[in-house]
Amino acid sequence: MEHNILSKSKTLGLALAVLLAAAAIAAWVLLAQLGPAIKSAVETDGALATQTQVLVGSVEFSPFTGVGALDGLTVGNPAGFSSPYAVVVDRIALQAESGSLLGDGPVIIDSATVIAPQITYEAKSPTATSNLEAIKNNAKAYAATPAATETASSARKVIIRDLTIMGGSITLDVPLPGAALTVPLPPLHLTNIGADTNGATPPEIIRIVCEAIADEAKKAVTAAIAQKVKSAIEMLKPPAGLLPKSLPHLPTPSRASPPSPPSMPVPPPGMMPPPPPPGF
């Protein structure tokens, strides 16, 4: 009897160990697919939201440390714009809470750092809608569509504690006099994305980031164009040394007196006319 109990205990223990091992293998396989899943989500959801071609070179991610990186992100241009791309990023560094990766709650990203994005700001004129504004408008419109709602229902939500965009540059593709202009993108710092709603969906995150980049880029470009116009106006002015200090003194014209009437000649004596007859 005791032997049977021990045998059953060993069998249960072995079965439990097998189940735990299977669960561990399943979790490992699931976590190992996070890199490809991130790549696919960024490319698919990014393309739908921005109405552009979005490509990712590679994704590295360690489920045990939560450290990851997304390399070679390229965001194309929407219809109506001709430059090859809107944004190119060599690397986005990620640090996630590894404990948030399992389960169905929001994935928590402690920090995401977008390093040295190269941005092309294209517009037909300084006041026309730019490619970045078009992308921002597309992302905003997509976030309210049924397709975005369906994506939200099936995808894990994400909370980003700290998002930093640093070292960026903006190349202007705008009809302006002179050579092409490149200006720095001021650092951007966003915090607690999705924290108020227990996580944000991928379309929502894309919309938030697109709005931040487009708005900050427009400020930088507007200031750069104003400075360029001011410099062009200054170049048109003659150098200060060539301007006379004062106008030369001109004589004041005098008023001419009216000419005197001509005097009548006086006849010599003996030639005086006779006096008029009486009564005149």
Side-chain angles (χ1 to χ4, degrees), residues 180-197:
L181 187 63
T182 299
V183 297
L185 174 72
L188 286 171
H189 188 208
L190 306 176
T191 58
N192 293 323
I193 298 174
D196 295 337
T197 56

Side-chain angles (χ1 to χ4, degrees), residues 30-31 34 61-64 66 96-103 106-107 156:
L30 177 63
L31 293 174
L34 279 176
F61 191 80
S62 170
F64 299 105
E97 288 186 11
S98 54
S100 69
L101 300 177
L102 292 175
V107 175
R156 294 275 303 273

Side-chain angles (χ1 to χ4, degrees), residues 214-230:
D215 292 346
E216 198 63 36
K218 186 172 184 179
K219 292 178 187 177
V221 167
T222 300
I225 291 176
Q227 182 59 44
K228 191 174 181 70
V229 171
K230 181 180 178 181

Side-chain angles (χ1 to χ4, degrees), residues 42-43 46-56 72-89 118-122 130-136 138 206 210:
V42 171
E43 290 181 338
L48 290 172
T50 63
Q51 294 298 297
T52 69
Q53 184 181 42
V54 178
L55 298 175
V56 176
L73 171 67
T74 301
V75 179
N77 266 319
F81 297 91
S82 58
S83 52
Y85 61 84
V87 181
V88 171
V89 182
Q118 300 172 36
I119 299 172
T120 301
Y121 187 99
E122 181 185 347
S130 71
N131 57 337
L132 299 182
E133 290 174 302
I135 290 174
K136 178 184 83 170
N138 290 342
I206 292 170
C210 286

Side-chain angles (χ1 to χ4, degrees), residues 149-160:
T149 303
E150 184 178 353
T151 299
S153 64
S154 58
R156 294 275 303 273
K157 290 188 175 183
V158 178
I159 294 175
I160 303 178

Side-chain angles (χ1 to χ4, degrees), residues 9 38 45 63 90-91 102 119 123 134 143 172 180 196 201 217-218 232 248 264:
S9 298
I38 293 172
D45 294 333
D90 285 340
R91 168 159 286 213
L102 292 175
I119 299 172
L172 273 68
D196 295 337
T201 63
K218 186 172 184 179
M264 298 297 294

Side-chain angles (χ1 to χ4, degrees), residues 5-19:
I5 293 175
L6 291 175
S7 178
K8 289 181 179 179
S9 298
K10 290 180 180 179
T11 301
L12 290 174
L14 181 60
L16 181 59
V18 170
L19 288 175

